[in-house]
Amino acid sequence: MKRIKLESSASRDELLDIIKNSELVNDRVKFDENKGKPLIHVREKGERIKIKCEMVGGPTKDNGFLEGTYFVGKLTEKDGKTRLSGIILTAPIYHTLLALLLVFYVYRCISLGAFNPVPLILLVFSIFMFRGEFEKQGTIERYLNRAFRRAEQSTR
């Protein structure tokens, strides 16, 4: 989970148009061809926006397992400044279930006085399984930073 707080002097509509235009934001940016090129999907509902990242053109299909990685936040305009604040999450459904499983595991270890390696193996497996999804957090963060920089350049 990453927190994002950005501010720009561009208007809310200009900034939203730039965020939605991934070709403009990703112009002159090189990506690792083995992982694919990030495709950004933006949905807005009032002040709330949701940004999902999908890697396309890589050797494997990016399925966004259990909600994948996405940004949820608010885009507000006040006093001539546009502010974006929110968080980037990776597979929150899966990680909530995993956290509950680990709490149950610790409880059972204490109550039975025994140790079982299976939940720890599951934890290690999930780290390897979601490594690519966790890398998307940085991709979304850099995308938003570039979008805000491009908005600042267009207002000058």
Side-chain angles (χ1 to χ4, degrees), residues 5-41:
K5 287 191 179 219
L6 298 170
E7 187 174 289
S8 174
S9 60
S11 73
R12 181 185 187 282
D13 294 332
E14 286 178 28
L15 194 54
L16 193 57
D17 287 341
I18 290 174
I19 290 173
K20 286 182 177 181
N21 188 351
S22 63
E23 287 185 18
L24 172 68
V25 176
N26 289 332
D27 187 35
R28 296 186 314 265
V29 177
K30 295 189 191 253
F31 296 101
D32 185 4
E33 297 294 324
N34 294 329
K35 295 179 183 176
K37 185 176 180 180
L39 180 64
I40 303 296
H41 306 282

Side-chain angles (χ1 to χ4, degrees), residues 34-41 52-70 90-91 129-137 139-140:
N34 294 329
K35 295 179 183 176
K37 185 176 180 180
L39 180 64
I40 303 296
H41 306 282
K52 286 188 81 167
C53 178
E54 177 185 7
M55 301 302 270
V56 294
T60 60
K61 175 150 175 42
D62 181 10
N63 62 0
F65 181 71
L66 287 178
E67 280 293 315
T69 300
Y70 59 91
T90 298
M129 183 176 155
F130 286 101
R131 186 177 66 221
E133 283 296 320
F134 282 113
E135 289 173 357
K136 286 184 191 177
Q137 287 185 356
T139 302
I140 293 173

Side-chain angles (χ1 to χ4, degrees), residues 111-130:
S111 67
L112 295 175
F115 175 76
N116 186 348
V118 173
L120 297 178
I121 293 170
L122 178 65
L123 182 65
V124 170
F125 171 74
S126 71
I127 290 170
F128 285 113
M129 183 176 155
F130 286 101

